[in-house]
Amino acid sequence: MALGNFSRVTEFILLGLSETKELQVLFFTFFFLAYAMVLLGNLLIIVAVRTDPKLSSPMYFLLCNLSFIDICCTSVTSPRMLVDLFSQRKAIAFEDCIAQLFFLHFVGASEMFLLTVMAYDRYTAICKPLHYTAIMSRQACWLLVSACWVGGFLHSIVQTLFTVQLPFCGPNTIDNYFCDVPPVIRLACTDIYVTAWLMASNSGLISLVCFLVLVTSYTFILLTVRVRFTEGHWKALSTCASHVTVVTLFFVPCIFIYLRPSSTFPSDKHICVIYTVFSPVMNPLIYTLRNNEVKASMWKLWKRCRVF
């Protein structure tokens, strides 16, 4: 289908999280502080990892990439949401809506794949320590990170192409604070039953499979730690516990939202806040407050900045 022949909608109206003025002020304050924490916390992690030679292991290389993805992910939705909270008419052009949808799924899927790679890194470090250096070489890390970005792009382009080929001629009100596949395709002027199931099998299965791989890797890690009660393994297990927290906050809401066809179940915009806001906020907190090496690097960075 040619988009120009079937799409009559030129813009969408975002309803946001609430129309109550008092709640809008409260939401703006909270989400502004959350966005500032995401930017500051993840930028500090990136700078610390890039400037400290002691943080050159694969785990910190992957953490640096996770911080960059978190900045991208929250920047896709948060700035627009903050502006819309004080806008009388929360309109977004059709092209901008599709672009937001594309970039959200691009960085979101890339983060899913990267979190899976990080779990594999911890599994290799704990369960195969003698082969860790050979398996997680610098070249292997770059290949894995590149594969995460390529996989995210392929996933997103499929979702976007499925969306833009639909005819939009009717209601243009989206009951959410950003453009996402489920609420957008429900506005199509056609039967979306098959399309909804295809998209659920795409986004939903990716979320579920990645989560199952993560659970499997942590299961092997736990079994290994039960046998080897060494200080190094308990330290690695502490890192994994932090990773599990991030994974739970990110994957469970995504599975709930995307593993069901949007034509039969409405999406919950308040659940979307968990993986678009809370998860990116938690990453820098967990990886800095529970990691002595990162905290020491940031402290040295702070002392160098004070000198200047």
Side-chain angles (χ1 to χ4, degrees), residues 220-250:
F220 280 113
I221 289 172
L222 288 173
L223 292 175
T224 301
V225 171
R226 285 183 60 186
V227 178
R228 308 172 187 175
F229 293 98
T230 65
E231 182 180 352
H233 283 92
W234 281 114
K235 181 181 178 181
L237 183 61
S238 177
T239 302
C240 291
S242 301
H243 195 180
V244 168
T245 303
V246 177
V247 164
T248 303
L249 283 173
F250 187 73

PDB file of all heavy atoms in Angstrom, residues 220-250:
ATOM      1  N   PHE A 220      22.456 -20.892  35.829  1.00  0.00           N
ATOM      2  CA  PHE A 220      23.769 -21.537  35.783  1.00  0.00           C
ATOM      3  C   PHE A 220      24.752 -20.845  36.724  1.00  0.00           C
ATOM      4  O   PHE A 220      25.579 -21.508  37.373  1.00  0.00           O
ATOM      5  CB  PHE A 220      24.320 -21.527  34.351  1.00  0.00           C
ATOM      6  CG  PHE A 220      23.751 -22.605  33.480  1.00  0.00           C
ATOM      7  CD1 PHE A 220      22.934 -22.286  32.404  1.00  0.00           C
ATOM      8  CD2 PHE A 220      24.022 -23.939  33.726  1.00  0.00           C
ATOM      9  CE1 PHE A 220      22.401 -23.272  31.587  1.00  0.00           C
ATOM     10  CE2 PHE A 220      23.504 -24.950  32.912  1.00  0.00           C
ATOM     11  CZ  PHE A 220      22.676 -24.606  31.845  1.00  0.00           C
ATOM     12  N   ILE A 221      24.656 -19.512  36.810  1.00  0.00           N
ATOM     13  CA  ILE A 221      25.541 -18.772  37.712  1.00  0.00           C
ATOM     14  C   ILE A 221      25.282 -19.167  39.166  1.00  0.00           C
ATOM     15  O   ILE A 221      26.215 -19.408  39.942  1.00  0.00           O
ATOM     16  CB  ILE A 221      25.357 -17.253  37.514  1.00  0.00           C
ATOM     17  CG1 ILE A 221      25.940 -16.829  36.162  1.00  0.00           C
ATOM     18  CG2 ILE A 221      26.041 -16.473  38.640  1.00  0.00           C
ATOM     19  CD1 ILE A 221      25.650 -15.391  35.793  1.00  0.00           C
ATOM     20  N   LEU A 222      24.021 -19.248  39.540  1.00  0.00           N
ATOM     21  CA  LEU A 222      23.666 -19.623  40.911  1.00  0.00           C
ATOM     22  C   LEU A 222      24.143 -21.035  41.232  1.00  0.00           C
ATOM     23  O   LEU A 222      24.635 -21.310  42.332  1.00  0.00           O
ATOM     24  CB  LEU A 222      22.157 -19.512  41.109  1.00  0.00           C
ATOM     25  CG  LEU A 222      21.580 -18.096  41.173  1.00  0.00           C
ATOM     26  CD1 LEU A 222      20.057 -18.146  41.199  1.00  0.00           C
ATOM     27  CD2 LEU A 222      22.101 -17.360  42.399  1.00  0.00           C
ATOM     28  N   LEU A 223      23.974 -21.937  40.285  1.00  0.00           N
ATOM     29  CA  LEU A 223      24.431 -23.307  40.507  1.00  0.00           C
ATOM     30  C   LEU A 223      25.943 -23.374  40.676  1.00  0.00           C
ATOM     31  O   LEU A 223      26.459 -24.150  41.490  1.00  0.00           O
ATOM     32  CB  LEU A 223      23.996 -24.193  39.330  1.00  0.00           C
ATOM     33  CG  LEU A 223      22.488 -24.439  39.197  1.00  0.00           C
ATOM     34  CD1 LEU A 223      22.188 -25.221  37.926  1.00  0.00           C
ATOM     35  CD2 LEU A 223      21.948 -25.179  40.425  1.00  0.00           C
ATOM     36  N   THR A 224      26.651 -22.547  39.920  1.00  0.00           N
ATOM     37  CA  THR A 224      28.112 -22.518  40.029  1.00  0.00           C
ATOM     38  C   THR A 224      28.559 -21.935  41.362  1.00  0.00           C
ATOM     39  O   THR A 224      29.467 -22.458  42.016  1.00  0.00           O
ATOM     40  CB  THR A 224      28.711 -21.690  38.878  1.00  0.00           C
ATOM     41  OG1 THR A 224      28.320 -22.254  37.628  1.00  0.00           O
ATOM     42  CG2 THR A 224      30.237 -21.660  38.962  1.00  0.00           C
ATOM     43  N   VAL A 225      27.919 -20.856  41.777  1.00  0.00           N
ATOM     44  CA  VAL A 225      28.295 -20.200  43.035  1.00  0.00           C
ATOM     45  C   VAL A 225      28.015 -21.099  44.229  1.00  0.00           C
ATOM     46  O   VAL A 225      28.731 -21.072  45.232  1.00  0.00           O
ATOM     47  CB  VAL A 225      27.546 -18.852  43.174  1.00  0.00           C
ATOM     48  CG1 VAL A 225      27.746 -18.259  44.557  1.00  0.00           C
ATOM     49  CG2 VAL A 225      28.023 -17.875  42.119  1.00  0.00           C
ATOM     50  N   ARG A 226      26.989 -21.922  44.163  1.00  0.00           N
ATOM     51  CA  ARG A 226      26.675 -22.844  45.267  1.00  0.00           C
ATOM     52  C   ARG A 226      27.819 -23.819  45.500  1.00  0.00           C
ATOM     53  O   ARG A 226      28.039 -24.274  46.622  1.00  0.00           O
ATOM     54  CB  ARG A 226      25.406 -23.624  44.957  1.00  0.00           C
ATOM     55  CG  ARG A 226      24.129 -22.808  45.115  1.00  0.00           C
ATOM     56  CD  ARG A 226      22.918 -23.684  44.857  1.00  0.00           C
ATOM     57  NE  ARG A 226      22.868 -24.801  45.811  1.00  0.00           N
ATOM     58  CZ  ARG A 226      21.983 -25.780  45.745  1.00  0.00           C
ATOM     59  NH1 ARG A 226      21.078 -25.794  44.763  1.00  0.00           N
ATOM     60  NH2 ARG A 226      21.978 -26.745  46.648  1.00  0.00           N
ATOM     61  N   VAL A 227      28.561 -24.137  44.449  1.00  0.00           N
ATOM     62  CA  VAL A 227      29.656 -25.099  44.566  1.00  0.00           C
ATOM     63  C   VAL A 227      30.960 -24.404  44.946  1.00  0.00           C
ATOM     64  O   VAL A 227      31.749 -24.920  45.734  1.00  0.00           O
ATOM     65  CB  VAL A 227      29.825 -25.871  43.238  1.00  0.00           C
ATOM     66  CG1 VAL A 227      31.000 -26.847  43.332  1.00  0.00           C
ATOM     67  CG2 VAL A 227      28.541 -26.616  42.907  1.00  0.00           C
ATOM     68  N   ARG A 228      31.174 -23.193  44.402  1.00  0.00           N
ATOM     69  CA  ARG A 228      32.442 -22.496  44.626  1.00  0.00           C
ATOM     70  C   ARG A 228      32.213 -21.300  45.557  1.00  0.00           C
ATOM     71  O   ARG A 228      31.813 -20.231  45.118  1.00  0.00           O
ATOM     72  CB  ARG A 228      33.018 -22.009  43.293  1.00  0.00           C
ATOM     73  CG  ARG A 228      33.125 -23.096  42.233  1.00  0.00           C
ATOM     74  CD  ARG A 228      33.520 -22.489  40.904  1.00  0.00           C
ATOM     75  NE  ARG A 228      33.478 -23.455  39.825  1.00  0.00           N
ATOM     76  CZ  ARG A 228      33.682 -23.146  38.532  1.00  0.00           C
ATOM     77  NH1 ARG A 228      33.924 -21.892  38.188  1.00  0.00           N
ATOM     78  NH2 ARG A 228      33.628 -24.094  37.620  1.00  0.00           N
ATOM     79  N   PHE A 229      32.512 -21.459  46.807  1.00  0.00           N
ATOM     80  CA  PHE A 229      32.282 -20.392  47.788  1.00  0.00           C
ATOM     81  C   PHE A 229      33.560 -19.568  47.949  1.00  0.00           C
ATOM     82  O   PHE A 229      34.190 -19.580  49.000  1.00  0.00           O
ATOM     83  CB  PHE A 229      31.874 -20.986  49.136  1.00  0.00           C
ATOM     84  CG  PHE A 229      30.528 -21.647  49.096  1.00  0.00           C
ATOM     85  CD1 PHE A 229      30.433 -23.015  48.950  1.00  0.00           C
ATOM     86  CD2 PHE A 229      29.358 -20.913  49.190  1.00  0.00           C
ATOM     87  CE1 PHE A 229      29.201 -23.641  48.911  1.00  0.00           C
ATOM     88  CE2 PHE A 229      28.123 -21.537  49.146  1.00  0.00           C
ATOM     89  CZ  PHE A 229      28.049 -22.899  49.008  1.00  0.00           C
ATOM     90  N   THR A 230      33.933 -18.859  46.923  1.00  0.00           N
ATOM     91  CA  THR A 230      35.105 -17.993  46.994  1.00  0.00           C
ATOM     92  C   THR A 230      34.662 -16.549  46.995  1.00  0.00           C
ATOM     93  O   THR A 230      33.565 -16.202  46.554  1.00  0.00           O
ATOM     94  CB  THR A 230      36.035 -18.239  45.794  1.00  0.00           C
ATOM     95  OG1 THR A 230      35.359 -17.855  44.585  1.00  0.00           O
ATOM     96  CG2 THR A 230      36.439 -19.707  45.707  1.00  0.00           C
ATOM     97  N   GLU A 231      35.557 -15.667  47.487  1.00  0.00           N
ATOM     98  CA  GLU A 231      35.221 -14.236  47.561  1.00  0.00           C
ATOM     99  C   GLU A 231      34.970 -13.655  46.186  1.00  0.00           C
ATOM    100  O   GLU A 231      34.079 -12.827  45.995  1.00  0.00           O
ATOM    101  CB  GLU A 231      36.359 -13.483  48.246  1.00  0.00           C
ATOM    102  CG  GLU A 231      36.073 -11.995  48.416  1.00  0.00           C
ATOM    103  CD  GLU A 231      37.217 -11.278  49.098  1.00  0.00           C
ATOM    104  OE1 GLU A 231      38.156 -11.961  49.576  1.00  0.00           O
ATOM    105  OE2 GLU A 231      37.188 -10.034  49.151  1.00  0.00           O
ATOM    106  N   GLY A 232      35.757 -14.090  45.205  1.00  0.00           N
ATOM    107  CA  GLY A 232      35.590 -13.567  43.851  1.00  0.00           C
ATOM    108  C   GLY A 232      34.233 -13.916  43.265  1.00  0.00           C
ATOM    109  O   GLY A 232      33.608 -13.099  42.598  1.00  0.00           O
ATOM    110  N   HIS A 233      33.769 -15.133  43.537  1.00  0.00           N
ATOM    111  CA  HIS A 233      32.473 -15.543  43.001  1.00  0.00           C
ATOM    112  C   HIS A 233      31.328 -14.814  43.691  1.00  0.00           C
ATOM    113  O   HIS A 233      30.322 -14.480  43.071  1.00  0.00           O
ATOM    114  CB  HIS A 233      32.302 -17.055  43.159  1.00  0.00           C
ATOM    115  CG  HIS A 233      33.079 -17.855  42.154  1.00  0.00           C
ATOM    116  ND1 HIS A 233      34.347 -18.315  42.402  1.00  0.00           N
ATOM    117  CD2 HIS A 233      32.779 -18.246  40.893  1.00  0.00           C
ATOM    118  CE1 HIS A 233      34.793 -18.973  41.343  1.00  0.00           C
ATOM    119  NE2 HIS A 233      33.865 -18.958  40.419  1.00  0.00           N
ATOM    120  N   TRP A 234      31.471 -14.567  45.008  1.00  0.00           N
ATOM    121  CA  TRP A 234      30.416 -13.821  45.694  1.00  0.00           C
ATOM    122  C   TRP A 234      30.357 -12.370  45.209  1.00  0.00           C
ATOM    123  O   TRP A 234      29.284 -11.772  45.135  1.00  0.00           O
ATOM    124  CB  TRP A 234      30.638 -13.862  47.203  1.00  0.00           C
ATOM    125  CG  TRP A 234      30.197 -15.144  47.813  1.00  0.00           C
ATOM    126  CD1 TRP A 234      30.977 -16.094  48.402  1.00  0.00           C
ATOM    127  CD2 TRP A 234      28.856 -15.642  47.867  1.00  0.00           C
ATOM    128  NE1 TRP A 234      30.206 -17.154  48.826  1.00  0.00           N
ATOM    129  CE2 TRP A 234      28.905 -16.901  48.508  1.00  0.00           C
ATOM    130  CE3 TRP A 234      27.620 -15.154  47.442  1.00  0.00           C
ATOM    131  CZ2 TRP A 234      27.778 -17.664  48.742  1.00  0.00           C
ATOM    132  CZ3 TRP A 234      26.488 -15.918  47.674  1.00  0.00           C
ATOM    133  CH2 TRP A 234      26.572 -17.156  48.316  1.00  0.00           C
ATOM    134  N   LYS A 235      31.507 -11.798  44.881  1.00  0.00           N
ATOM    135  CA  LYS A 235      31.538 -10.444  44.330  1.00  0.00           C
ATOM    136  C   LYS A 235      30.843 -10.413  42.974  1.00  0.00           C
ATOM    137  O   LYS A 235      30.068  -9.498  42.667  1.00  0.00           O
ATOM    138  CB  LYS A 235      32.989  -9.961  44.191  1.00  0.00           C
ATOM    139  CG  LYS A 235      33.113  -8.551  43.648  1.00  0.00           C
ATOM    140  CD  LYS A 235      34.568  -8.155  43.527  1.00  0.00           C
ATOM    141  CE  LYS A 235      34.699  -6.755  42.922  1.00  0.00           C
ATOM    142  NZ  LYS A 235      36.128  -6.362  42.771  1.00  0.00           N
ATOM    143  N   ALA A 236      31.127 -11.422  42.139  1.00  0.00           N
ATOM    144  CA  ALA A 236      30.469 -11.504  40.834  1.00  0.00           C
ATOM    145  C   ALA A 236      28.973 -11.706  40.986  1.00  0.00           C
ATOM    146  O   ALA A 236      28.167 -11.160  40.232  1.00  0.00           O
ATOM    147  CB  ALA A 236      31.073 -12.645  40.011  1.00  0.00           C
ATOM    148  N   LEU A 237      28.594 -12.499  42.001  1.00  0.00           N
ATOM    149  CA  LEU A 237      27.169 -12.729  42.240  1.00  0.00           C
ATOM    150  C   LEU A 237      26.465 -11.438  42.660  1.00  0.00           C
ATOM    151  O   LEU A 237      25.312 -11.204  42.286  1.00  0.00           O
ATOM    152  CB  LEU A 237      26.997 -13.790  43.325  1.00  0.00           C
ATOM    153  CG  LEU A 237      25.554 -14.200  43.641  1.00  0.00           C
ATOM    154  CD1 LEU A 237      24.893 -14.803  42.407  1.00  0.00           C
ATOM    155  CD2 LEU A 237      25.517 -15.188  44.800  1.00  0.00           C
ATOM    156  N   SER A 238      27.155 -10.587  43.426  1.00  0.00           N
ATOM    157  CA  SER A 238      26.587  -9.297  43.813  1.00  0.00           C
ATOM    158  C   SER A 238      26.318  -8.436  42.590  1.00  0.00           C
ATOM    159  O   SER A 238      25.292  -7.752  42.499  1.00  0.00           O
ATOM    160  CB  SER A 238      27.540  -8.582  44.777  1.00  0.00           C
ATOM    161  OG  SER A 238      27.031  -7.307  45.113  1.00  0.00           O
ATOM    162  N   THR A 239      27.254  -8.480  41.634  1.00  0.00           N
ATOM    163  CA  THR A 239      27.046  -7.746  40.382  1.00  0.00           C
ATOM    164  C   THR A 239      25.840  -8.290  39.641  1.00  0.00           C
ATOM    165  O   THR A 239      25.029  -7.536  39.090  1.00  0.00           O
ATOM    166  CB  THR A 239      28.302  -7.864  39.490  1.00  0.00           C
ATOM    167  OG1 THR A 239      29.428  -7.361  40.209  1.00  0.00           O
ATOM    168  CG2 THR A 239      28.127  -7.083  38.200  1.00  0.00           C
ATOM    169  N   CYS A 240      25.696  -9.602  39.627  1.00  0.00           N
ATOM    170  CA  CYS A 240      24.555 -10.220  38.947  1.00  0.00           C
ATOM    171  C   CYS A 240      23.232  -9.840  39.608  1.00  0.00           C
ATOM    172  O   CYS A 240      22.210  -9.698  38.938  1.00  0.00           O
ATOM    173  CB  CYS A 240      24.717 -11.737  38.930  1.00  0.00           C
ATOM    174  SG  CYS A 240      26.046 -12.306  37.870  1.00  0.00           S
ATOM    175  N   ALA A 241      23.243  -9.695  40.943  1.00  0.00           N
ATOM    176  CA  ALA A 241      22.024  -9.309  41.642  1.00  0.00           C
ATOM    177  C   ALA A 241      21.558  -7.929  41.183  1.00  0.00           C
ATOM    178  O   ALA A 241      20.359  -7.689  40.986  1.00  0.00           O
ATOM    179  CB  ALA A 241      22.265  -9.314  43.149  1.00  0.00           C
ATOM    180  N   SER A 242      22.506  -7.023  40.982  1.00  0.00           N
ATOM    181  CA  SER A 242      22.162  -5.700  40.459  1.00  0.00           C
ATOM    182  C   SER A 242      21.611  -5.805  39.044  1.00  0.00           C
ATOM    183  O   SER A 242      20.642  -5.125  38.684  1.00  0.00           O
ATOM    184  CB  SER A 242      23.402  -4.802  40.470  1.00  0.00           C
ATOM    185  OG  SER A 242      23.925  -4.674  41.764  1.00  0.00           O
ATOM    186  N   HIS A 243      22.241  -6.670  38.266  1.00  0.00           N
ATOM    187  CA  HIS A 243      21.801  -6.872  36.888  1.00  0.00           C
ATOM    188  C   HIS A 243      20.386  -7.419  36.842  1.00  0.00           C
ATOM    189  O   HIS A 243      19.562  -7.005  36.021  1.00  0.00           O
ATOM    190  CB  HIS A 243      22.774  -7.826  36.195  1.00  0.00           C
ATOM    191  CG  HIS A 243      22.646  -7.849  34.710  1.00  0.00           C
ATOM    192  ND1 HIS A 243      23.430  -8.638  33.903  1.00  0.00           N
ATOM    193  CD2 HIS A 243      21.819  -7.183  33.875  1.00  0.00           C
ATOM    194  CE1 HIS A 243      23.086  -8.471  32.643  1.00  0.00           C
ATOM    195  NE2 HIS A 243      22.106  -7.585  32.598  1.00  0.00           N
ATOM    196  N   VAL A 244      20.072  -8.339  37.741  1.00  0.00           N
ATOM    197  CA  VAL A 244      18.728  -8.927  37.798  1.00  0.00           C
ATOM    198  C   VAL A 244      17.682  -7.855  38.086  1.00  0.00           C
ATOM    199  O   VAL A 244      16.577  -7.866  37.524  1.00  0.00           O
ATOM    200  CB  VAL A 244      18.664 -10.038  38.867  1.00  0.00           C
ATOM    201  CG1 VAL A 244      17.231 -10.452  39.146  1.00  0.00           C
ATOM    202  CG2 VAL A 244      19.472 -11.246  38.414  1.00  0.00           C
ATOM    203  N   THR A 245      18.019  -6.902  38.945  1.00  0.00           N
ATOM    204  CA  THR A 245      17.087  -5.819  39.267  1.00  0.00           C
ATOM    205  C   THR A 245      16.745  -5.009  38.031  1.00  0.00           C
ATOM    206  O   THR A 245      15.579  -4.706  37.762  1.00  0.00           O
ATOM    207  CB  THR A 245      17.695  -4.894  40.339  1.00  0.00           C
ATOM    208  OG1 THR A 245      18.036  -5.665  41.493  1.00  0.00           O
ATOM    209  CG2 THR A 245      16.711  -3.805  40.732  1.00  0.00           C
ATOM    210  N   VAL A 246      17.771  -4.652  37.261  1.00  0.00           N
ATOM    211  CA  VAL A 246      17.555  -3.882  36.030  1.00  0.00           C
ATOM    212  C   VAL A 246      16.747  -4.691  35.029  1.00  0.00           C
ATOM    213  O   VAL A 246      15.820  -4.178  34.389  1.00  0.00           O
ATOM    214  CB  VAL A 246      18.907  -3.459  35.420  1.00  0.00           C
ATOM    215  CG1 VAL A 246      18.693  -2.722  34.105  1.00  0.00           C
ATOM    216  CG2 VAL A 246      19.679  -2.586  36.387  1.00  0.00           C
ATOM    217  N   VAL A 247      17.109  -5.950  34.895  1.00  0.00           N
ATOM    218  CA  VAL A 247      16.426  -6.820  33.940  1.00  0.00           C
ATOM    219  C   VAL A 247      14.944  -6.947  34.270  1.00  0.00           C
ATOM    220  O   VAL A 247      14.080  -6.880  33.389  1.00  0.00           O
ATOM    221  CB  VAL A 247      17.102  -8.214  33.928  1.00  0.00           C
ATOM    222  CG1 VAL A 247      16.208  -9.238  33.258  1.00  0.00           C
ATOM    223  CG2 VAL A 247      18.441  -8.141  33.219  1.00  0.00           C
ATOM    224  N   THR A 248      14.629  -7.115  35.555  1.00  0.00           N
ATOM    225  CA  THR A 248      13.238  -7.259  35.966  1.00  0.00           C
ATOM    226  C   THR A 248      12.435  -6.004  35.655  1.00  0.00           C
ATOM    227  O   THR A 248      11.316  -6.067  35.138  1.00  0.00           O
ATOM    228  CB  THR A 248      13.151  -7.575  37.466  1.00  0.00           C
ATOM    229  OG1 THR A 248      13.900  -8.767  37.729  1.00  0.00           O
ATOM    230  CG2 THR A 248      11.707  -7.783  37.891  1.00  0.00           C
ATOM    231  N   LEU A 249      13.015  -4.839  35.967  1.00  0.00           N
ATOM    232  CA  LEU A 249      12.324  -3.576  35.711  1.00  0.00           C
ATOM    233  C   LEU A 249      12.104  -3.338  34.225  1.00  0.00           C
ATOM    234  O   LEU A 249      11.121  -2.711  33.824  1.00  0.00           O
ATOM    235  CB  LEU A 249      13.133  -2.403  36.289  1.00  0.00           C
ATOM    236  CG  LEU A 249      13.061  -2.203  37.799  1.00  0.00           C
ATOM    237  CD1 LEU A 249      14.038  -1.124  38.227  1.00  0.00           C
ATOM    238  CD2 LEU A 249      11.644  -1.830  38.227  1.00  0.00           C
ATOM    239  N   PHE A 250      13.010  -3.835  33.414  1.00  0.00           N
ATOM    240  CA  PHE A 250      12.937  -3.563  31.982  1.00  0.00           C
ATOM    241  C   PHE A 250      12.109  -4.586  31.216  1.00  0.00           C
ATOM    242  O   PHE A 250      11.242  -4.237  30.417  1.00  0.00           O
ATOM    243  CB  PHE A 250      14.352  -3.503  31.405  1.00  0.00           C
ATOM    244  CG  PHE A 250      14.408  -3.067  29.968  1.00  0.00           C
ATOM    245  CD1 PHE A 250      14.180  -1.747  29.617  1.00  0.00           C
ATOM    246  CD2 PHE A 250      14.679  -3.975  28.957  1.00  0.00           C
ATOM    247  CE1 PHE A 250      14.227  -1.330  28.291  1.00  0.00           C
ATOM    248  CE2 PHE A 250      14.725  -3.574  27.632  1.00  0.00           C
ATOM    249  CZ  PHE A 250      14.504  -2.245  27.300  1.00  0.00           C
TER     250      PHE A 250
END
